[in-house]
Structures are given as structure tokens and as C-alpha cells.
Amino acid sequence: MKKPAIFNWSTGKDSALALYKILSEDRYEVKALLTSINKDVGRVSMHGVSVKLLEKQAENLNIPLIKLELPTDISMEDYNSYMEEKLSEIKKSGIKHSVFGDIFLEDLKIYRENQLSKLGISAVFPLWKRDTRDLIHEFLNLGFKTIITCVNEMYLDKSFAGRIIDENFLKDLPEDFDPCGENGEFHTFTFDGPIFSEPIKFEIGEVVKKTYPKPKTGVNEEEGDYVFWFCDLY
């Protein structure tokens, strides 16, 4: 008997491949997608994808969508509070497993496991410790298609925003660069692949620069801002 689970959906490639893995197995039944939304701008957190395109993904996946609406400026404490409230509601329906597309960030995995354990929910990581070069080639070979919606200028320049991930894209990446962007180098929107009923249609808009102040930690603080390039999709 399959265990009911919630799937943490980002709109990007790692989520898509992790969902493909889960749907291909007989262990879990994905009852809904859970996505964090910046309610002030109506976009998926970090990825910058519009809610309309997110909803189209869920529709084509034929999986219900649950939105966690968050304000733009939110502390980690408040984020945890919002998430705990939402997951507590979800657990009432009998869901005790939460699936993520994380690959190798140990601190993030421990954080997720610790937060979920407080609620009696287990974290599931279908892609954990897989070689990221193998993963990106598997993703492409399965027929998935994804576009770069956000790049961190610390790692990539503006020209990479709005590019489709293919073999040419991989060849253009800097040496020793993680091809899955697991360190936050870039984020994506997946618009086609074996888990979708049909390709998602969209148009590529302008590329916009956005800056965010670096957090003040009191230890080895860096001056300046984080710079990101977002490619808008319509």
C-alpha cells in the first residue's frame, strides 16, 4: 500500500526529476504539490515563475496544488511558523511524508528533517547523493525540457538567463560548475517531459536585474548586495 505524501514543488528541473522518480515507484502516493509563493508579487519564491505558469504545471501533472503564501521580507523564524502551520493542516489529511528534490546540501537536509520531525513527518529525498552530472543527463535523456529563470551573478552572467538547458548549455558552463545548480547558481522552469500531459506554452519576456542586501551576521560580513538576473516568462 502506497504511503500518502506531499511533494515540495519548486517548478524546476530537480523537482521534476524527483517527482518522476516518486511516480515511477510504488512506495508513495503524491496527494498534492506544495509551493512557496511570494504573495506580494505573485511569483514562486526564488524561481520568479508566475503563479499562472505554476498552476498550469499542476494542471498538466494532474496533481492538486497547495500554495504557501509568504510576504517579501520574512525572517527565518516567521518562515518556520508559516510552514509549520501549513504542514499541520496537511498532516490532518493523513499525510506523514514530505518529498524534496535536494541532492547534496547536508545542512539543508538536516534542517528539513529536524523541522519535519517536530510535526511527526518524515522527509524523503529521491535524488540524494546522486552525481549531478549523471542527473542532468538523465533529465535530458528522459525528454524533460527546462529554461533558466534566474541566475546568481556570483556564478553566471546575464546571458544565461532565459536559456534552455541542453548539451550546448552544459558545454558553456564554467569549469567545475555544478550542472544542476545545487548551490543556488541558477533556477529553472520545467515545461515539458514524461510527467506532463502536454508541453506548457509560454513566451520569453525581458531579463530583469534584482539586488538583495547580504545578511548581517556579525562575523566576516561582506559589503554589497547579492545580484540576480530574472528572465520573465508569460
Side-chain angles (χ1 to χ4, degrees):
M1 183 176 178
K2 293 184 179 181
K3 301 173 183 177
I6 190 80
F7 191 97
N8 294 270
W9 180 256
S10 71
T11 74
K13 58 177 179 46
D14 298 334
S15 278
L17 185 56
L19 180 59
Y20 172 84
K21 298 285 189 184
I22 288 293
L23 295 177
S24 300
E25 299 174 353
D26 292 324
R27 297 182 61 191
Y28 302 99
E29 180 182 0
V30 178
K31 292 293 189 178
L33 307 175
L34 175 61
T35 305
S36 297
I37 304 293
N38 182 322
K39 66 178 183 179
D40 298 324
V41 296
R43 293 181 180 271
V44 177
S45 302
M46 288 309 301
H47 289 241
V49 175
S50 71
V51 171
K52 287 186 178 180
L53 285 176
L54 165 65
E55 292 172 342
K56 181 58 69 172
Q57 281 184 323
E59 178 184 329
N60 285 10
L61 290 168
N62 194 30
I63 300 176
L65 174 65
I66 299 174
K67 303 168 192 171
L68 175 62
E69 297 186 329
L70 304 169
T72 299
D73 297 318
I74 183 172
S75 66
M76 197 52 152
E77 182 179 358
D78 286 341
Y79 171 81
N80 289 338
S81 179
Y82 274 99
M83 183 62 77
E84 182 176 337
E85 181 179 356
K86 181 65 69 176
L87 288 173
S88 295
E89 294 176 8
I90 291 171
K91 188 184 176 184
K92 291 177 182 178
S93 64
I95 293 174
K96 296 183 180 180
H97 294 84
S98 185
V99 186
F100 300 89
D102 301 316
I103 305 172
F104 61 68
L105 297 179
E106 294 281 358
D107 289 349
L108 183 57
K109 181 174 184 287
I110 292 171
Y111 163 76
R112 297 199 196 284
E113 290 173 332
N114 288 343
Q115 293 300 118
L116 289 171
S117 66
K118 298 175 185 177
L119 302 173
I121 299 175
S122 299
V124 181
F125 302 89
L127 308 182
W128 189 248
K129 290 299 184 181
R130 286 284 307 278
D131 182 273
T132 50
R133 293 196 177 277
D134 291 341
L135 283 177
I136 194 63
H137 287 294
E138 179 181 4
F139 178 85
L140 296 176
N141 291 337
L142 285 168
F144 280 107
K145 295 180 181 178
T146 196
I147 184 171
I148 304 294
T149 57
C150 170
V151 296
N152 186 332
E153 195 176 66
M154 288 177 60
Y155 304 101
L156 295 174
D157 62 48
K158 176 183 177 181
S159 67
F160 283 88
R163 286 189 61 174
I164 302 292
I165 292 186
D166 55 17
E167 292 298 335
N168 289 329
F169 171 87
L170 298 178
K171 291 177 182 178
D172 290 341
L173 290 177
E175 190 174 352
D176 297 327
F177 189 95
D178 183 69
C180 284
E182 180 70 350
N183 297 301
E185 296 94 333
F186 62 86
H187 299 289
T188 58
F189 171 73
T190 301
F191 58 91
D192 196 8
I195 58 177
F196 293 103
S197 60
E198 62 181 13
I200 298 171
K201 298 179 181 179
F202 63 91
E203 294 182 6
I204 298 176
E206 63 180 336
V207 176
V208 178
K209 178 181 180 181
K210 294 188 178 182
T211 60
Y212 302 92
K214 293 181 178 179
K216 300 298 182 180
T217 62
V219 180
N220 297 324
E221 292 183 358
E222 298 180 36
E223 296 295 330
D225 300 320
Y226 289 120
V227 178
F228 293 88
W229 292 98
F230 288 88
C231 178
D232 204 0
L233 305 178
Y234 299 95

